[in-house]
Amino acid sequence: GCVLVVSVIEQLAQWHNSTVKAATERLCNYIPGKYQIIRHMLCCIDREMNADVVCHSLKLCKQDPGQPLCHLYPPPKVSWFSTFFKATDCGSFTGFSSVCAFPLLANLCEKIKYVIRNKLPFEDFDGDKFSTFPTLRGYHWRGRDCNDKNTTVYPGRRPDNWDVKSDSNCNGIWGVDPKDGIPYEEKFCKGADSQGVVLLGDSAGAHFHIPPEWMTVTQMSAKSFANLPMAFTDELDWPQFSEITGFLNSTIGGWTDSLYLRLRRRNRCNHRDLQNISQNGIMVYVIQTLRTYFPINRAVYLSFSLARNQLLDNPAIVIYATIGNDVCNGNRDTLAHMTTPKEMLSNVMQALQYLDSRLPNGSHVILTGLVDGRFLWDNLHDRYHPLGQLNRDITYSQLYSFLDCLQVSPCSGWLTPNETLRNLTSERALQLSNVLKEIARSEKFANFDIFYMDFPLRQTAEEWHKMGGEPWQLIEPVDGFHPSQIAAALGTSITWQKALHEWPQVLGKENPFNDQIEAIFKDQGGH
């Protein structure tokens, strides 16, 4: 993080032909609020040291005994030791145990820790796992609550007495038609196969995204950072635009198309019935820590946050799509830390058994295979990263090596020049996908049927090529790892077509009253 910020400041000074101090003030004025951590970097940057040296001087970066010295830029011509010695009066941040110890960030960090730990909304006054607040695992992640003071009112439940007096399931359909005295919910939604969509996923499903304009100085302005507070309180995820649960028009490029939106178009009674229960890869460490005290696995851990009442709620389509977490980690001995086929079978079966005890009868579960991540290195390694576009000095290969050295790589097995390791990682991913495929083929459950589909990367790339696109545009430009907004939208279309042709029963029937429902909404000034 320090290397990133210092790099941006140095490039701002270069692009605007200004002093480093002026560039820092410019960046501080772009960012909502004043972050003293940036201002503390001034004295070191004024010494014309590169970002690696500055951050080591501030002791925000360090070299552990016996470990290599990690750097993004070429080392200085003089020795690191003498360079650091000159910078000893720059001060350091060793008094802080972490970024969250900074006073301005401490309160926000506590909120984020809560939602990461629980996968539940921070603002949820009635405790029904739904919220009227957008971020901190609020309605960007789950359907918006329409009464946060009543625990029996939430998206996805079966209507209470056909919602004659109030909207108990938050789909906007309630009251009685004055023409015939029939409740609108009964008239339009009875027998309509209403169902929600739930994602149990990883950072790809949560739709991790760092806006490239945050570090591309040629595009940078105050407008670039307007979404920064929202992004941080959503853990740098954008589930509201995602492939499975997206529901807002994308503001991060591309367009939004999601399984939820298509189910809603198919049956307007499904409005707001969505849950995105995904975790970024960093949470793997937290779960490993929890295992010391509780015998749980990642799949079951995600399932615990599901909000579904077997007796009161509608069925749901549950997508299980941890497309990379089981083979991706930042460890040097990455193969030893990958999930084995035996562990995969045990983990997923435990999760499915738990789901069988929670999901209403008539639900569906779709297991999604792991991605073949060799696509990443093949299409990005020799391209310039946004941070390197001004001076054409940082490629994705350099970024991957830097993150790998720090042991924070999102996937050491795929983001590496070692072709043998990339192939072994894909081999393990295929083995784990075959475990999922076999589960779907052979296992039966009381409350849901189960299906398997491969992650549609090849079909997505082919479709994008037909549209005149390049493969690298399907990958997030900043982290060089996650699917982009374009990839998410195209993936939805491919998944939907497969379901229509192979599992039409999963999608439910089309509601013939959709147009009437929308017409009534417009007449009443709704949306």
Side-chain angles (χ1 to χ4, degrees):
C2 176
V3 170
L4 166 65
V5 172
V6 174
S7 298
V8 168
I9 291 173
E10 291 177 337
Q11 290 185 24
L12 274 172
Q14 177 186 345
W15 180 249
H16 293 281
N17 194 25
S18 69
T19 64
V20 169
K21 181 177 181 179
T24 306
E25 290 298 325
R26 183 186 298 271
L27 182 60
C28 286
N29 289 333
Y30 286 163
I31 296 174
K34 300 293 185 180
Y35 292 89
Q36 196 66 26
I37 181 174
I38 295 176
R39 298 179 184 277
H40 271 75
M41 296 174 180
L42 266 174
C43 95
C44 288
I45 307 175
D46 275 337
R47 298 181 188 276
E48 298 184 356
M49 303 174 187
N50 72 34
D52 295 310
V53 176
V54 170
C55 295
H56 277 273
S57 300
L58 292 169
K59 296 183 172 59
L60 282 171
C61 295
K62 63 179 182 177
Q63 180 183 12
D64 291 331
Q67 298 295 323
L69 184 66
C70 302
H71 56 90
L72 183 60
Y73 296 89
K77 294 179 182 179
V78 295
S79 72
W80 284 87
F81 177 80
S82 61
T83 309
F84 292 158
F85 181 77
K86 294 176 183 177
T88 53
D89 60 337
C90 289
S92 75
F93 294 93
T94 52
F96 297 108
S97 59
S98 71
V99 173
C100 288
F102 286 95
L104 288 174
L105 300 178
N107 185 46
L108 175 61
C109 281
E110 285 306 309
K111 293 180 179 180
I112 292 175
K113 286 177 184 177
Y114 172 86
V115 298
I116 286 177
R117 185 169 59 247
N118 298 283
K119 293 290 173 292
L120 295 172
F122 184 81
E123 303 282 354
D124 178 18
F125 298 107
D126 58 11
D128 59 8
K129 301 183 180 179
F130 294 91
S131 178
T132 58
F133 190 75
T135 61
L136 293 171
R137 293 279 166 164
Y139 68 76
H140 282 173
W141 300 81
R142 300 166 185 254
R144 184 171 182 168
D145 203 340
C146 53
N147 186 341
D148 209 17
K149 297 180 180 179
N150 187 337
T151 189
T152 66
V153 175
Y154 53 85
R157 68 158 293 168
R158 295 190 179 102
D160 179 19
N161 191 30
W162 293 115
D163 283 357
V164 170
K165 295 183 178 180
S166 62
D167 188 7
S168 66
N169 56 17
C170 302
N171 68 359
I173 303 170
W174 65 281
V176 176
D177 188 338
K179 297 176 183 177
D180 53 23
I182 300 175
Y184 285 122
E185 182 85 46
E186 181 180 6
K187 175 180 285 190
F188 296 141
C189 301
K190 184 178 182 180
D193 294 341
S194 297
Q195 58 185 340
V197 59
V198 178
L199 173 65
L200 303 179
D202 53 18
S203 52
H207 206 31
F208 185 87
H209 167 80
I210 299 175
E213 57 269 24
W214 287 3
M215 59 189 68
T216 308
V217 297
T218 56
Q219 305 171 16
M220 194 174 292
S221 67
K223 185 178 178 181
S224 304
F225 294 94
N227 55 14
L228 187 145
M230 180 190 73
F232 275 134
T233 49
D234 265 336
E235 307 160 50
L236 293 177
D237 295 323
W238 308 73
Q240 68 272 32
F241 308 140
S242 64
E243 179 176 350
I244 303 300
T245 62
F247 62 94
L248 294 177
N249 291 330
S250 172
T251 60
I252 57 174
W255 64 98
T256 302
D257 188 6
S258 70
L259 181 59
Y260 163 73
L261 283 177
R262 291 187 176 231
L263 285 170
R264 184 188 180 280
R265 284 197 295 269
R266 192 172 181 83
N267 180 5
R268 177 59 181 73
C269 301
N270 292 329
H271 182 56
R272 290 191 183 177
D273 196 356
L274 64 99
Q275 297 180 54
N276 190 317
I277 308 172
S278 300
Q279 65 179 33
N280 290 339
I282 194 66
M283 274 301 297
V284 173
Y285 168 77
V286 177
I287 294 166
Q288 288 171 341
T289 304
L290 285 172
R291 282 184 185 146
T292 306
Y293 307 101
F294 309 105
I296 64 173
N297 65 66
R298 182 160 58 237
V300 175
Y301 178 77
L302 287 173
S303 303
F304 283 161
S305 300
L306 174 70
R308 218 64 179 180
N309 186 303
Q310 230 170 13
L311 300 178
L312 298 178
D313 298 349
N314 286 319
I317 301 173
V318 178
I319 312 294
Y320 179 86
T322 55
I323 65 171
N325 271 4
D326 287 285
V327 295
C328 286
N329 58 75
N331 296 288
R332 295 235 163 85
D333 53 343
T334 181
L335 290 171
H337 288 81
M338 294 179 187
T339 302
T340 66
K342 183 178 179 181
E343 290 170 337
M344 188 73 163
L345 176 62
S346 174
N347 292 347
V348 175
M349 284 302 299
Q350 286 182 56
L352 292 174
Q353 288 160 3
Y354 178 79
L355 289 174
D356 203 26
S357 70
R358 297 296 302 276
L359 290 174
N361 190 263
S363 295
H364 312 280
V365 172
I366 299 174
L367 304 178
T368 303
L370 280 69
V371 69
D372 185 349
R374 289 176 292 192
F375 183 88
L376 303 169
W377 179 269
D378 292 346
N379 289 288
L380 281 185
H381 75 277
D382 56 354
R383 295 188 61 83
Y384 289 109
H385 185 267
L387 205 58
Q389 287 175 4
L390 180 64
N391 296 310
R392 305 182 77 80
D393 57 352
I394 299 174
T395 63
Y396 283 95
S397 177
Q398 289 170 259
L399 175 71
Y400 294 156
S401 296
F402 179 54
L403 297 177
D404 190 57
C405 179
L406 294 170
Q407 298 186 55
V408 295
S409 170
C411 197
S412 295
W414 276 324
L415 308 183
T416 173
N418 186 333
E419 183 179 7
T420 300
L421 182 55
R422 297 199 304 269
N423 291 338
L424 287 172
T425 304
S426 288
E427 183 180 316
R428 175 63 60 86
L430 180 60
Q431 292 170 354
L432 300 184
S433 295
N434 287 335
V435 170
L436 298 176
K437 189 181 297 185
E438 179 59 22
I439 289 173
R441 187 194 67 81
S442 61
E443 299 293 337
K444 304 295 180 186
F445 297 89
N447 290 304
F448 57 81
D449 48 14
I450 187 167
F451 306 89
Y452 170 85
M453 69 172 292
D454 290 319
F455 185 82
L457 178 59
R458 178 182 57 81
Q459 300 95 314
T460 301
E462 290 173 354
E463 190 63 30
W464 184 232
H465 178 71
K466 291 177 185 176
M467 298 170 67
E470 297 288 339
W472 58 267
Q473 294 170 313
L474 299 174
I475 308 168
E476 274 295 312
V478 173
D479 62 60
F481 178 64
H482 293 94
S484 69
Q485 184 66 34
I486 294 170
L490 290 175
T492 296
S493 177
I494 293 166
T495 300
W496 184 264
Q497 292 303 318
K498 180 180 178 65
L500 276 179
H501 288 98
E502 298 183 21
W503 328 309
Q505 72 276 23
V506 171
L507 304 179
K509 55 193 175 187
E510 195 155 354
N511 191 329
F513 299 108
N514 285 334
D515 291 341
Q516 288 179 251
I517 296 171
E518 293 297 343
I520 293 174
F521 261 88
K522 290 179 181 178
D523 288 344
Q524 297 179 352
H527 54 82

